[in-house]
Amino acid sequence: MRPEELAERVRARVPEVTVARGEATVVVDRARVLAVLAEVRRDDDLAFDFLSSVTATDWPGRAPRFWVSYELSSTRHRHRLRVKVGIDEDDARLPSVTSLFPTADWHERETFDLYGIVFDGHPNLSRILLPDDWEGHPLRKTEELGGVDTRYKGAFVPPVDRRTT
Amino acid sequence: MSETSSRLDLEHVDPDEVREETMIINMGPQHPSTHGVLRLLLELDGENVVSCQPIVGYLHTGIEKNCEYRTWQQGVAYVTRADYLAPFFNELGYCLAAERLLGIEAPPRAQVLRVLFCEMNRIASHLVWPATTGMELGAISMMLYGFREREVILDVFEAATGLRMNHSYFRIGGVIMDLPPDGPAQIREFLRVMPGRIREYERILSENPIWLERNRGVGHLSADRALAFGVTGPMLRAAGVARDVRKDEPYCGYETYEFGVPTASEGDCYARYLVRVEEMKQSLGIVEQCLDRLAEPGPVMVEDPKLRWPAQLEVGPDGIGNSPAYVRHIMEESMEALIHHFKMVTEGISVPAGEVYQPVESPRGELGYYLVSDGGHRPYRVKIRDPSFVNLQAVPAMLEGALVADAIAVIASVDPVMGGVDR
């Protein structure tokens, strides 16, 4: 199915569909994320039965601050769909989709680890890439990159995120 | 230390008592058969695995975060280091995603070179698999042969890109330079030798009783469970699902090449072996088709000066270097050219705002790049969907009720590369 046809088909269920660069994206409300994922999976013409990836982006100063995106694909129809959910900074929680897609387990743990977004109902929401006693969530834009000054030809060069030029 | 726990009470030992508690054993993170720094927490009941918990993160280097602080072109040098056995696939996924954001396409010759290097890389990566697995399961000669042939491929890579690994050869808009003059001959020689070598591996392994005993019926994963766990690549195809991004969502003109997608139905470690060997043969066929297409000369990088890297390379007496004519042009002839060069190198290109998800078929499965741009000179977000990371999730399911020795074969059959898992 071409992205435009796909978008038309999805629009019957979720109104907010956009097509850009050959990819269809739907924006859903946090309360409906599980229901929408289940619906597009059940629909025979859509059949999104494979979850490729779950991740987030951080936009500090905007509302909502975080966008969590789910990359879905269909083994039968070979098409893709992105589902995006916006969540606020002071209530960064989402229902876990592990009951629907067991593969979401590690993806959600990674998103929790790096962004501090909590997935309610996850069987074991713990850090995955960073040590358990790590403080902070490094992929948030408010966390600095870190690094040490490097001596070069007698001068000290600061880490890349603290350079002025 | 208390009195009771420090001393064994020999008076009251019941010789008929059967102890029923299980034992927790740490396998890794420093273990020769965990393919890097994977740690498994195994709960054992005698020789049987009761449960297994993979623990990752020991090789986390923050590649995704680092990319946000560098220019778009510099990102290539970071992502190539993620899955270090498949550097070209990382570069390809990143470059294709960035090109889609920019709305450009690499010239045809660059696309052929990309396919050529990716398929050579697939063979090199698939060679490491039987080599290391053979070593772990007691077929040491396979390790020597696997690394011997991989070396030939790395020589080709070195001749073309200057490096054996982490090449940064694919760039946004094409590839950095064409093959060296003797490149095609070198690859043809490899194509002549390799089919015989693959037959040699099959003679060593396919009917080897130890190999069969250790792999057949071990680590079974059905198609349904594999899909639920998000497993892709040879592991999924060994369970009978012909899912391959090259066929389903072709990129770089893969739809114009003739090749098959090998599958098997058993879904065990042996089936994964069969699929990987068949894939090497298919890749040889694709490389041959690429060489035929390379007869046509052409540019390997987009012409747009606002996108292409400004420097020009020319082989000097030391083997590589800047073109003296270009250096003279920017240093002596044109102030505008110097400003342009300076801006491109320090500031880099700007990419229109938007987001894309670009999957490519790496030797381990669907390698996805989710890039987000805010319209600036640096990526706003680089997410790597690494297939090893996802495939490892299926290990506990494959190990339930298995013997502890099967853990070695099962981990090996996943072919995880921790650089990609931990990023």
Side-chain angles (χ1 to χ4, degrees):
Chain A
M1 212 185 294
R2 285 176 33 246
E4 290 76 19
E5 298 169 43
L6 180 66
E8 217 39 61
R9 178 88 207 178
V10 176
R11 196 163 286 132
R13 295 174 181 280
V14 198
E16 271 195 79
V17 190
T18 49
V19 176
R21 299 182 173 88
E23 293 180 352
T25 305
V26 301
V27 176
V28 301
D29 200 47
R30 171 168 72 177
R32 286 204 61 212
V33 59
L34 259 173
V36 167
L37 291 186
E39 270 179 49
V40 296
R41 184 188 177 136
R42 213 166 28 232
D43 187 320
D44 268 349
D45 291 332
L46 300 174
F48 286 107
D49 58 348
F50 191 89
L51 180 66
S52 282
S53 166
V54 179
T55 192
T57 43
D58 179 14
W59 303 87
R62 290 198 200 175
R65 177 173 169 181
F66 298 105
W67 283 99
V68 175
S69 57
Y70 300 82
E71 302 287 341
L72 295 168
S73 69
S74 164
T75 3
R76 202 185 323 157
H77 303 301
R78 323 281 189 204
H79 52 212
R80 282 182 188 275
L81 178 71
R82 179 181 305 121
V83 177
K84 286 177 74 172
V85 189
I87 46 175
D88 288 324
E89 180 179 1
D90 46 9
D91 187 24
R93 317 181 73 87
L94 265 180
S96 166
V97 300
T98 42
S99 55
L100 212 51
F101 296 101
T103 182
D105 185 342
W106 282 22
H107 291 298
E108 289 180 349
R109 277 179 70 191
E110 185 188 304
T111 311
F112 163 72
D113 193 0
L114 303 177
Y115 283 98
I117 295 167
V118 174
F119 292 88
D120 292 316
H122 188 284
N124 170 31
L125 194 67
S126 54
R127 291 196 182 270
I128 184 164
L129 294 178
L130 298 168
D132 289 338
D133 55 356
W134 188 275
E135 282 171 23
H137 302 281
L139 272 182
R140 287 188 174 194
K141 290 283 180 184
T142 44
E143 299 262 330
E144 60 176 26
L145 180 65
V148 293
D149 289 358
T150 314
R151 196 164 80 177
Y152 181 66
K153 293 191 176 172
F156 281 93
V157 182
V160 67
D161 59 335
R162 273 183 254 139
R163 285 177 209 163
T164 48
T165 49
Chain B
M1 204 183 283
S2 70
E3 276 291 298
T4 44
S5 66
S6 63
R7 210 181 291 159
L8 186 63
D9 188 359
L10 290 173
E11 293 286 307
H12 296 97
V13 170
D14 177 4
D16 297 326
E17 185 202 338
V18 179
R19 295 175 58 167
E20 286 181 354
E21 73 266 38
T22 55
M23 180 164 48
I24 308 279
I25 279 199
N26 251 319
M27 185 174 145
Q30 302 296 334
H31 190 281
S33 70
T34 54
H35 296 251
V37 283
L38 171 66
R39 176 175 155 211
L40 292 181
L41 209 56
L42 292 168
E43 186 185 359
L44 301 180
D45 177 11
E47 281 288 299
N48 294 308
V49 179
V50 178
S51 70
C52 158
Q53 190 190 346
I55 298 168
V56 301
Y58 292 92
L59 211 58
H60 181 60
T61 46
I63 289 176
E64 294 176 0
K65 178 85 173 173
N66 267 303
C67 286
E68 294 174 11
Y69 290 85
R70 312 281 166 162
T71 64
W72 283 91
Q73 294 110 328
Q74 284 175 316
V76 176
Y78 275 93
V79 297
T80 189
R81 282 155 174 80
D83 181 344
Y84 45 78
L85 285 186
F88 284 118
F89 293 92
N90 289 298
E91 296 172 17
L92 182 66
Y94 179 84
C95 290
L96 283 176
E99 285 163 11
R100 278 178 59 200
L101 282 171
L102 286 161
I104 57 165
E105 240 181 54
R109 189 177 170 86
Q111 302 214 18
V112 175
L113 283 170
R114 285 175 172 185
V115 172
L116 174 96
F117 278 98
C118 278
E119 293 307 321
M120 291 283 279
N121 195 169
R122 191 185 309 280
I123 300 170
S125 175
H126 277 5
L127 279 171
V128 175
W129 178 76
T132 51
T133 308
M135 181 182 69
E136 287 153 17
L137 301 185
I140 302 281
S141 29
M142 190 55 232
M143 186 197 74
L144 303 173
Y145 295 152
F147 276 100
R148 179 184 67 188
E149 266 72 77
R150 176 169 180 264
E151 210 58 27
V152 179
I153 300 178
L154 295 190
D155 285 345
V156 174
F157 290 170
E158 192 179 1
T161 72
L163 291 165
R164 290 155 47 86
M165 295 170 88
N166 310 332
H167 314 276
S168 304
Y169 179 69
F170 298 173
R171 301 292 172 91
I172 296 167
V175 300
I176 190 65
M177 54 192 151
D178 212 327
L179 276 180
D182 61 342
Q186 211 179 347
I187 298 169
R188 287 229 186 265
E189 173 61 17
F190 170 74
L191 287 179
R192 191 184 64 76
V193 176
M194 199 54 198
R197 298 284 165 85
I198 295 180
R199 277 198 296 279
E200 199 172 57
Y201 312 148
E202 289 178 310
R203 278 207 301 275
I204 294 174
L205 295 177
S206 290
E207 286 168 38
N208 180 327
I210 300 172
W211 186 257
L212 288 171
E213 195 69 30
R214 293 297 302 274
N215 283 311
R216 201 179 262 180
V218 170
H220 182 264
L221 191 67
S222 68
D224 286 348
R225 287 188 96 184
L227 287 171
F229 281 119
V231 168
T232 47
M235 279 181 74
L236 182 61
R237 293 192 281 273
V241 183
R243 189 186 159 106
D244 187 321
V245 184
R246 293 176 295 174
K247 288 279 187 199
D248 302 342
E249 296 150 86
Y251 50 90
C252 286
Y254 264 112
E255 67 276 17
T256 61
Y257 292 87
E258 256 179 58
F259 66 99
V261 179
T263 56
S265 54
E266 291 80 11
D268 58 1
C269 293
Y270 189 71
R272 288 167 207 146
Y273 154 74
L274 293 177
V275 166
R276 288 197 174 96
V277 171
E278 254 347 280
E279 282 187 19
M280 283 201 263
K281 296 179 189 168
Q282 297 296 331
S283 292
L284 286 174
I286 301 175
V287 171
E288 191 148 16
Q289 295 171 50
C290 289
L291 281 183
D292 295 340
R293 294 179 191 200
L294 283 179
E296 286 287 306
V300 295
M301 179 56 90
V302 288
E303 297 293 339
D304 188 349
K306 292 280 179 206
L307 291 174
R308 61 177 295 156
W309 191 246
Q312 282 168 19
L313 299 174
E314 197 172 274
V315 180
D318 56 348
I320 198 160
N322 286 309
S323 150
Y326 178 73
V327 173
R328 197 177 319 116
H329 178 61
I330 60 168
M331 297 307 284
E332 293 171 19
E333 293 166 8
S334 166
M335 190 62 195
E336 283 70 32
L338 179 63
I339 293 170
H340 172 71
H341 183 107
F342 182 76
K343 290 280 274 184
M344 286 297 281
V345 172
T346 56
E347 194 178 72
I349 57 175
S350 64
V351 171
E355 57 184 346
V356 286
Y357 178 80
Q358 175 65 47
V360 297
E361 186 68 26
S362 98
R364 275 157 280 284
E366 178 185 321
L367 173 66
Y369 272 81
Y370 174 59
L371 297 193
V372 181
S373 174
D374 62 349
H377 297 282
R378 291 167 180 188
Y380 194 77
R381 171 82 172 107
V382 178
K383 156 75 184 171
I384 309 172
R385 187 263 187 210
D386 187 86
S388 302
F389 178 78
V390 186
N391 292 356
L392 267 183
Q393 281 196 84
V395 166
M398 289 191 283
L399 274 181
E400 267 165 34
L403 295 173
V404 66
D406 293 341
I408 311 288
V410 166
I411 294 291
S413 78
V414 178
D415 192 18
V417 173
M418 299 314 284
V421 173
D422 297 340
R423 286 156 283 144

